[in-house]
Amino acid sequence: MSTNISTQARLSDQAVLPLHTLDPAAPLDDLGWLDEVIGDARVVAIGESSHYSTEFPRLRHRVLRYLVQRHGFVAGTEENGFVQGQLVHDWINGGPGAVGTVMADGFGSLTGLWRPVRLQLEWLREHNRTAAEPVRYYGIDLGGSNVTPLPSLDAVLGYLAEADPGYRPDPVLREIALTFAATSAFGIPAAVGGYGALEPERKNTLTAGLAGLLARLAARRIDYTARTGAESYQRAQRALHAAITLDVMVRAMAQGDLETASLSREATLADTVEWVLRREDRIVLGAHNGHVQRVPGAIPGTPPMTGLGVHLADRLGADYRTIGTTSGSGQVLGSGFFAGEFFEELPEPRPGSLDALMAASHDGPFAVNLRTLGEADRQAVRAAGQHRNGTYYNELDPLVAYDALVHVPVVSAGEPDAEALAASPPEVREMFAKWQGSGG
């Protein structure tokens, strides 16, 4: 296939399912194609090509509304810390506090600081106020900016204070975790460096201590659940698994072993989704394309790795459906993030890529049901074997990776929420001020 723009392959008009808008509050009838895509699946995942953009969370919000209102879904999960997600769940179900504080404290890695998040949370809270069955919310990620086990460890220690008030955990565990804590994503490099500087004995003490806590919870399950209830016990156990995975990850990251770090995270994400499925019949899952695709993916510098979507496809089969996203031009999260240069210009899609195919097929946002394509369209999609995530490309067969695609012609830099920023740690406010001062 020629890579000349004038001869760029395109999908037939029959394959293109136009979306009237990405506005979550608009009528949802243009999402009717979802009915055939999702079938009776228990998990419906919606991906995004890049974090912090405006359009992808708006799309995710629309899909969530549709599945809640038209298909009776009552659980939403996101690429958010498991412990932090409890704060979100409590607030949308009538809990106290300002929404800006929930956005700052209830999400990890700065994902809660943007205007589309406020709109989704406010809609969920209003919906749940009158709904016969309210929507539940779960974070499925590790938390601690995916580098420090401290938030998860604190949740476990808090649980033990209630379940076993006579027990005194070794305070050195928290002291060690505190030495490489990160209060935001901007602290990740310092946290990894802080862990790397620890004496081997201190690292091993933390690893052994976390294993000891897990053994204690397992051995005393009956007594603990009698005191606290099964749900509190199981949440503490899940938080501890997140802490243990983070201990594995930061050890690997300090050694430059990104493969072990990523594989460990993805498997734990899948375990947490299964944990949610033991409580909920059907869930909506929002995460990066690289997580939700059902084929191995790679980040720059690593070989293709088994991700969340691969695990879920293996464990759930047809009960897992996934919708990927593509993009045309605009601004996406860039390499200057830690210097306060959050976004960079997104060039036109690489000729011959999946994003180029989608961009050539329709001017506005649209969907494609990959399971109902004619043969010529199937061949065109399969030939477009490079999928852009952010600013890099993955090799994959889109027909295997996804059940459907949604194309966003232009992605824009996110709009920060002033109240959420005001409730954020000082280094977050400083970095956002630097970005905005430079014209962001």
Side-chain angles (χ1 to χ4, degrees):
M1 181 176 62
S2 172
T3 58
N4 187 284
I5 294 297
S6 64
T7 59
Q8 170 67 50
R10 58 178 295 150
L11 298 172
S12 69
D13 291 343
Q14 291 74 27
V16 172
L17 304 167
L19 300 180
H20 301 151
T21 179
L22 296 178
D23 181 1
L28 301 172
D29 292 340
D30 60 338
L31 296 180
W33 53 270
L34 277 168
D35 301 347
E36 191 171 18
V37 170
I38 69 170
D40 297 322
R42 296 190 63 199
V43 178
V44 176
I46 173 71
E48 63 181 15
S49 300
S50 178
H51 294 318
Y52 308 159
S53 298
T54 293
E55 289 73 19
F56 296 126
R58 295 181 80 207
L59 171 66
R60 185 165 64 243
H61 183 180
R62 285 200 89 211
V63 170
L64 175 66
R65 284 200 193 200
Y66 186 87
L67 295 180
V68 167
Q69 295 177 354
R70 305 287 178 92
H71 289 272
F73 280 62
V74 290
T77 61
E78 287 184 314
E79 188 183 338
N80 183 20
F82 177 78
V83 170
Q84 290 96 320
Q86 184 64 45
L87 178 62
V88 177
H89 171 85
D90 291 345
W91 191 84
I92 66 171
N93 284 286
V99 63
T101 302
V102 175
M103 294 166 67
D105 297 340
F107 291 84
S109 302
L110 312 179
T111 56
L113 301 184
W114 311 92
R115 288 288 298 172
V117 176
R118 169 185 285 270
L119 298 178
Q120 178 172 307
L121 293 185
E122 290 177 338
W123 177 79
L124 283 167
R125 185 175 171 105
E126 179 60 25
H127 170 86
N128 286 355
R129 189 178 63 83
T130 58
E133 188 170 8
V135 176
R136 273 84 67 180
Y137 179 93
Y138 300 88
I140 62 164
D141 213 341
L142 305 175
S145 295
N146 291 325
V147 70
T148 173
L150 186 62
S152 295
L153 176 60
D154 279 345
V156 174
L157 295 177
Y159 173 79
L160 286 171
E162 176 187 0
D164 197 348
Y167 173 59
R168 297 291 180 268
D170 188 346
V172 76
L173 296 183
R174 192 175 189 282
E175 292 170 9
I176 296 171
L178 192 60
T179 62
F180 61 98
T183 56
S184 78
F186 296 116
I188 292 174
V192 175
Y195 179 86
L198 287 173
E199 294 293 328
E201 181 180 354
R202 298 272 282 176
K203 298 175 183 176
N204 294 338
T205 295
L206 178 60
T207 300
L210 292 172
L213 290 178
L214 185 62
R216 186 177 188 89
L217 257 67
R220 292 163 173 80
R221 178 184 61 83
I222 293 176
D223 291 340
Y224 285 1
T225 55
R227 289 197 186 106
T228 68
E231 183 67 13
S232 292
Y233 171 84
Q234 290 163 13
R235 283 187 171 276
Q237 192 176 51
R238 192 76 244 137
L240 185 51
H241 279 290
I244 290 170
T245 299
L246 281 164
D247 179 55
V248 172
M249 285 180 61
V250 72
R251 185 185 289 262
M253 291 165 69
Q255 297 170 347
D257 183 1
L258 296 181
E259 182 176 11
T260 294
S262 295
L263 287 171
S264 300
R265 179 189 177 197
E266 299 294 328
T268 303
L269 288 174
D271 290 344
T272 305
V273 171
E274 281 202 304
W275 184 92
V276 175
L277 284 173
R278 292 195 288 271
R279 289 152 177 78
E280 308 291 352
D281 182 48
R282 306 181 81 184
I283 66 175
V284 185
L285 167 60
H288 196 280
N289 284 332
H291 293 302
V292 304
Q293 65 188 43
R294 58 161 60 85
V295 296
I299 58 176
T302 69
M305 292 179 290
T306 302
L308 166 65
V310 181
H311 284 288
L312 294 181
D314 177 67
R315 300 180 193 187
L316 301 176
D319 273 334
Y320 179 63
R321 303 293 169 88
T322 181
I323 304 163
T325 55
T326 59
S327 56
S329 60
Q331 290 188 315
V332 295
L333 182 64
S335 59
F337 172 77
F338 290 108
E341 301 167 1
F342 293 174
F343 297 93
E344 62 184 66
E345 289 298 320
L346 186 66
E348 292 294 325
R350 180 182 296 173
S353 67
L354 180 62
D355 297 76
L357 172 67
M358 297 286 281
S361 299
H362 188 67
D363 290 336
F366 71 99
V368 175
N369 183 345
L370 297 176
R371 302 297 165 229
T372 59
L373 293 178
E375 185 55 32
D377 287 321
R378 286 179 60 83
Q379 290 180 11
V381 170
R382 177 163 281 131
Q386 292 186 326
H387 183 200
R388 181 168 63 184
N389 281 321
T391 56
Y392 65 91
Y393 287 80
N394 273 324
E395 302 279 345
L396 52 72
D397 181 345
L399 298 177
V400 178
Y402 303 110
D403 296 289
L405 294 168
V406 174
H407 180 70
V408 177
V410 179
V411 291
S412 55
E415 178 188 355
D417 183 90
E419 184 183 355
L421 273 181
S424 299
E427 75 269 17
V428 173
R429 299 196 300 272
E430 291 168 7
M431 292 297 281
F432 269 74
K434 180 177 181 180
W435 167 57
Q436 292 172 315
S438 65

